[in-house]
Amino acid sequence: MKTSDFLYDLPEELIAQTPLERRDGSRLLVLDKTTGKTEHRHFYDLPQYLRPGDCLVLNDSRVIPARLFGTRPSGGLTEVVLLKELGGDRWECLTRPGKKMRRGTVVSFGENGELTAEVEEVTDSGDRILRFTYEGIFLELLDRLGQMPLPPYIKTQLDDPERYQTVYAREPGSAAAPTAGLHFTPELLDEVRAMGVDVRFVTLHVGLGTFRPVKVEDVEEHEMHSEFCTVPEDTAAAIRRAKASGHRIVAVGTTSCRTLESFAGEDGRIEAGSRWTNIFIYPGYTFRCVDALVTNFHLPGSTLVMLVSALAGREHILNAYREAVAKRYRFFSFGDAMFIGDVI
């Protein structure tokens, strides 16, 4: 299976640069994963495709202001993006300029050097392991000194940083938003609950590795980045109840999907817990837990296009993407959405 099998043509002007004023006003392409049939709706129509007894699972991770600008002892400027918390005030980071960030280099952030970091290690991928030193609470310092790390394909500055957060975000730790959830409003979630859908949460802290391109042509040679995820006991119990009664598990976003599949046993049973996952889902994968998926449109040739192709079939997905391009859908993080399941 080749990475080039998952490419599609996307005009650059269809890459959404800003969110819509109304979160749930985005378009919704509904794809039947079995037949390949499509419908074109709006996100506020999503409840029409959910059923009483379904379990809707969302990722409640919150994006932290993970982009920092600091100064090296030479006076040179350095950009640091936090990728992964390793414990003990150590983070795996993306740094620019990388060549200047040798082992032992100390970077100072803020006017008075209230936050400093020393390069402890250079990874095989070229990232840096930094140990931070500070007084007080790290996340409070980030709120004051950091900036929101928008994806590289978004060139427009975001006026309101909260628009790059879901309305239910509560567990800080992500370097990028679980963007399928950006379409939900509190009112839409209330409507879904009122119709008998069980709304539950998992946590997966999204790393910028999600935007890194697949650099190998043979899909099976690609190494997935690791991300930390948690399934609470109430969510695991709700999923077990829904499965036992023959109802669907609907994941909101590929992050929720990867979390659930990481925790599902061979019999599909979910147990609560926390762990790192580097699960790579591509065609040929047998889903153990997830039956349907709410998701955005993904980058050509990406692991996320491979994931949705595993759920609905590569031809169905690429046909749907071509249809979305022809109908001028908006793509990627601030773009429109899909609902994939047995629906039409």
Side-chain angles (χ1 to χ4, degrees):
M1 191 177 306
K2 298 180 179 179
T3 300
S4 56
D5 292 336
F6 299 91
L7 296 175
Y8 65 93
D9 294 325
L10 178 67
E12 187 174 350
E13 66 268 18
L14 295 186
I15 301 174
Q17 294 297 310
T18 56
L20 297 180
E21 183 175 350
R22 177 178 174 177
R23 283 182 181 262
D24 62 356
S26 54
R27 298 167 75 183
L28 180 69
L29 192 157
V30 180
L31 172 65
D32 190 296
K33 68 178 185 180
T34 301
T35 66
K37 292 182 179 180
T38 59
E39 291 182 355
H40 300 279
R41 308 297 295 272
H42 287 88
F43 201 83
Y44 50 72
D45 297 317
L46 178 66
Q48 298 179 27
Y49 297 93
L50 300 177
R51 304 165 189 163
D54 283 350
C55 185
L56 186 72
V57 182
L58 307 99
N59 181 7
D60 65 2
S61 182
R62 184 171 180 84
V63 185
I64 59 175
R67 176 172 277 122
L68 292 163
F69 294 92
T71 306
R72 301 189 305 278
S74 65
L77 299 179
T78 295
E79 178 184 356
V80 172
V81 179
L82 309 180
L83 300 179
K84 183 192 300 182
E85 185 176 10
L86 303 176
D89 292 321
R90 299 170 72 248
W91 286 77
E92 182 177 344
C93 301
L94 176 69
T95 62
R96 296 190 183 95
K99 291 183 179 179
K100 301 291 186 179
M101 294 290 285
R102 301 181 182 89
R103 187 172 181 177
T105 300
V106 176
V107 182
S108 176
F109 306 94
E111 292 183 1
N112 303 313
E114 54 201 311
L115 177 67
T116 61
E118 180 178 351
V119 179
E120 289 194 340
E121 183 182 339
V122 179
T123 69
D124 292 340
S125 64
D127 293 336
R128 269 58 177 174
I129 306 300
L130 270 60
R131 182 183 295 276
F132 287 86
T133 302
Y134 55 92
E135 292 185 3
I137 300 174
F138 185 66
L139 289 178
E140 291 183 358
L141 285 171
L142 279 187
D143 284 338
R144 194 151 46 80
L145 301 175
Q147 297 182 10
M148 198 65 74
L150 293 176
Y153 48 74
I154 294 179
K155 311 300 182 184
T156 304
Q157 189 67 32
L158 190 60
D159 292 334
D160 179 9
E162 282 301 306
R163 288 309 308 271
Y164 196 56
Q165 305 279 11
T166 63
V167 298
Y168 47 81
R170 58 190 178 193
E171 298 291 340
S174 279
T179 54
L182 295 178
H183 306 282
F184 282 91
T185 65
E187 294 78 14
L188 185 60
L189 287 170
D190 287 343
E191 180 182 351
V192 166
R193 290 186 179 100
M195 62 180 286
V197 173
D198 196 354
V199 177
R200 299 288 172 171
F201 297 93
V202 296
T203 304
L204 181 141
H205 292 315
V206 187
L208 289 185
T210 191
F211 301 113
R212 286 179 173 160
V214 178
K215 296 182 178 180
V216 293
E217 180 61 2
D218 185 344
V219 167
E220 295 183 6
E221 292 181 0
H222 176 68
E223 288 189 23
M224 284 291 288
H225 55 286
S226 294
E227 295 165 313
F228 192 75
C229 54
T230 299
V231 175
E233 178 53 44
D234 67 310
T235 297
I239 291 171
R240 292 194 295 265
R241 287 195 301 270
K243 283 287 191 184
S245 56
H247 296 295
R248 298 181 304 175
I249 308 303
V250 182
V252 176
T254 56
T255 59
S256 298
C257 177
R258 292 179 65 239
T259 299
L260 295 178
E261 291 299 315
S262 297
F263 279 83
E266 291 186 4
D267 59 354
R269 182 178 174 86
I270 291 279
E271 299 291 349
S274 297
R275 67 180 62 154
W276 291 92
T277 182
N278 63 350
I279 188 171
F280 183 15
I281 298 175
Y282 55 90
Y285 178 84
T286 300
F287 285 82
R288 298 174 176 179
C289 178
V290 173
D291 302 298
L293 179 67
V294 178
T295 186
N296 280 12
F297 292 91
H298 305 294
L299 278 72
S302 66
T303 60
L304 303 183
V305 172
M306 297 173 192
L307 185 152
V308 294
S309 295
L311 183 62
R314 186 179 70 90
E315 287 302 320
H316 288 168
I317 289 295
L318 292 182
N319 287 338
Y321 272 50
R322 284 190 285 267
E323 198 170 321
V325 169
K327 292 185 177 293
R328 310 296 290 178
Y329 273 65
R330 302 167 77 245
F331 278 67
F332 305 161
S333 296
F334 288 139
D336 296 315
M338 296 182 72
F339 179 78
I340 304 172
D342 287 317
V343 286
I344 304 172

